[in-house]
Amino acid sequence: MIEVLVVDDDVRVAQVNAAYVEKVPGFHVAGEAHSAAEALGCLRTLPRLDLVLMDHYLPDETGLEVVQEMRRRGHQADVIMVTAARDVSTVQAAMRHGALQYLVKPFAFAGLRVKLEAYAELRRTLDGGGEAEQAEVDRIFGALSASAEPQLPKGHSPTTAELVRQSLMHAGGPLSAQEIAERTGLSRQTAQRYLKLLERTGRARLTLKYGDAGRPEHRYVWATRA
């Protein structure tokens, strides 16, 4: 599990963000903090911390000042800024201090979900260790920047897209359009249409299953499982 600290001066917002984090498979909220002092205290007392969702506007210091102090103390937890601060100077400072991502409030669950999924994919890549060729380096640096949620074409339902996405993401292996249809209650044609959309936007990969005769069966696997 990826252990997360949620930092926000608004208690209610922190609770909402924590609930969002808990909905993403592989993530666990290790703690919440509502000030710079509380955040630094959590960094000192929590047994393990992988990621900090950091608000910028805190009552005692800014989020970026907390990040600076974290690094000065030797804390290596990754940081995603989650804040209403949208001025370019703050965004630039966040980059310079090593924030991996910057999510501007207000946002929906989907906005945070794609960034957390991209972060999880980045960690899987880095955990492999060893040396990296240029293609692997490009993949590491591009893992987070390529995480934007694709815009749905006209005639596509966000609810249906999310249904297909969830079924594919939580599957144990490749699924056909018929299998997605059976899991979701959609028609096979509808499932196929949304699977092709996920493939075109890079969220799913197409694999072929060859039988004894006839055309190969198209099967799809969630891309971050690769």
Side-chain angles (χ1 to χ4, degrees):
M1 298 293 284
I2 296 173
E3 299 293 334
V4 183
L5 173 64
V6 177
V7 182
D8 199 289
D9 68 320
D10 188 315
V11 175
R12 181 177 174 277
V13 171
Q15 291 173 342
V16 170
N17 290 347
Y20 281 171
V21 172
E22 291 282 359
K23 289 172 65 176
V24 181
F27 288 82
H28 173 254
V29 175
E32 295 180 28
H34 313 295
S35 68
E38 287 184 14
L40 291 171
C42 288
L43 288 164
R44 184 178 63 255
T45 58
L46 290 173
R48 181 181 140 221
L49 195 61
D50 303 304
L51 177 66
V52 181
L53 298 187
M54 180 69 72
D55 189 14
H56 183 59
Y57 296 124
L58 300 174
D60 44 356
E61 295 183 61
T62 68
L64 288 180
E65 288 173 328
V66 176
V67 176
Q68 285 181 285
E69 183 62 18
M70 284 172 55
R71 300 309 182 219
R72 190 186 70 78
R73 297 184 183 186
H75 293 296
Q76 299 302 313
D78 294 316
V79 175
I80 294 178
M81 298 298 295
V82 180
T83 176
R86 59 183 68 210
D87 57 286
V88 174
S89 60
T90 300
V91 176
Q92 186 179 45
M95 293 172 60
R96 288 174 174 170
H97 293 310
L100 293 179
Q101 274 283 18
Y102 199 105
L103 184 59
V104 178
K105 296 178 181 177
F107 55 86
F109 167 60
L112 179 59
R113 183 198 70 220
V114 293
K115 297 205 180 295
L116 293 180
E117 289 176 349
Y119 174 73
E121 174 68 8
L122 176 65
R123 284 182 61 97
R124 282 192 288 270
T125 300
L126 295 176
D127 287 346
E131 296 185 348
E133 300 295 335
Q134 184 63 53
E136 185 71 4
V137 172
D138 291 343
R139 181 185 175 198
I140 291 170
F141 274 85
L144 290 172
S145 61
S147 64
E149 190 76 354
Q151 190 74 22
L152 289 176
K154 186 177 179 180
H156 286 71
S157 162
T159 302
T160 304
E162 178 67 8
L163 191 62
V164 174
R165 191 195 73 84
Q166 288 286 343
S167 297
L168 196 62
M169 189 176 71
H170 296 142
L175 295 177
S176 66
Q178 182 60 42
E179 289 169 324
I180 288 287
E182 292 171 356
R183 294 185 179 209
T184 60
L186 300 171
S187 70
R188 183 189 177 283
Q189 291 76 12
T190 299
Q192 184 69 55
R193 186 157 59 101
Y194 281 84
L195 286 168
K196 286 183 177 179
L197 174 63
L198 288 172
E199 182 200 358
R200 287 198 303 271
T201 55
R203 308 294 283 172
R205 290 188 297 106
L206 172 65
T207 64
L208 299 178
K209 180 180 179 181
Y210 291 89
D212 295 334
R215 298 174 60 185
E217 181 183 37
H218 286 202
R219 299 173 68 83
Y220 297 83
V221 62
W222 187 244
T224 57
R225 289 184 177 273

